[in-house]
Amino acid sequence: MTVREELLEIRSRLDGAFDRREREAIILLIFDYVKGWSRVDLIINEGKELSDFTRHEIDFIVDRLLLGEPIQYITGTARFYGMDFKVGPGVLIPRPETEELVDWICDNSEGKSDLHVLDIGTGSGCIAIALARHLSFPDVDALDFSKKAIQQAKTNAETLGAKVKFFEADMYHWLPTPGSYDIIVSNPPYIAPDEKNDMEVRVKDFEPTEALFVEGDDPVKPYRRIEEIASVALRQGGMVYLELNPRFADEVKAFFESKGWNDVEIRVDSYGKKRMLRATTCDR
Ligand code: GLN
């Protein structure tokens, strides 16, 4: 079977499970994974025969995709901020919305150097590593309560040549050193339990529950704790940057304002959803 014929077969098998754009993106990831081919290689090689071994490998990947497994867990990598992060079950797959949060921090930090940054709930380490690579001489710390996440984040930092101090800690019990950070960032678990029915199988059945869902039924709970940490740990003029569930964005904003934070601002993501919040320490 030629590559062209195999492509037709994959397309028809994936049809229905993914929209056209996503399907084509997944096909590129599959060929990159099994053959190391780029989009151009795929075109150049279209007339070539594929070995039975490669065809079986691809068939098996498509079987797994059709059962709902995320492509990033199958290939073991996810692209974030122009870098390849190692990811696997138990660690949240970095999302494009989170890149927009990193963009906001980088844009706002231009011209500043030696910033001391803390990432709360770092997961794969994507935010912390992207900031360590893109800010000017930063000092980045990052915590997560999952041992697996911290191990993966450390591996990612080593592979990507980023200097980050990762440590295992539960934000609900961890006590920061007062006045020690310029920026605190977090993408905490923010999905409410009643949203589970509307979620895709590949998220709700494959990604770590503890990285997705708010514990209990108070959707602002993680933000209350982050606010508590930030109000102690930030230096005067320091900023907190948070990823939000658009459903509760106004609630989180009102909460920060009620605590006296300055310039509390919500930003929409590229889908037009209220996805990020920034606030500056209150005058003390
Ligand atoms: N943005 C992720 C999603 O909607 C959720 C990540 C999170 O809970 N922080 O799948």
Side-chain angles (χ1 to χ4, degrees), residues 140-161:
V140 185
D141 295 346
L143 66 89
D144 202 290
F145 79 111
S146 153
K147 192 188 273 315
K148 197 161 189 177
I150 290 296
Q151 277 167 355
Q152 196 115 91
K154 280 184 177 166
T155 309
N156 279 325
E158 256 167 54
T159 316
L160 297 166

Side-chain angles (χ1 to χ4, degrees), residues 12-49:
S12 83
R13 286 192 70 198
L14 292 178
D15 241 352
F18 300 93
D19 65 34
R20 205 181 145 275
R21 244 191 61 232
E22 202 166 10
R23 186 192 69 193
E24 294 307 305
I26 286 175
I27 289 174
L28 287 175
L29 290 172
I30 294 176
F31 277 92
D32 178 30
Y33 179 62
V34 299
K35 300 289 289 178
W37 286 355
S38 67
R39 186 194 297 267
V40 175
D41 296 324
L42 195 56
I43 297 167
I44 294 172
N45 290 300
E46 258 194 0
K48 288 211 178 122
E49 284 293 315

Side-chain angles (χ1 to χ4, degrees), residues 92 95 97 187-191 199 203 211-213 243 275:
L92 190 81
R95 308 283 205 270
E97 301 88 287
N187 172 20
Y190 56 60
I191 300 177
M199 289 167 70
V203 179
L212 291 167
F213 295 98
E243 188 169 316
R275 183 69 68 186

Side-chain angles (χ1 to χ4, degrees), residues 123-141:
S124 62
C126 62
I127 298 177
I129 291 169
L131 291 174
R133 292 281 310 265
H134 288 86
L135 297 177
S136 164
F137 303 104
D139 195 347
V140 185
D141 295 346

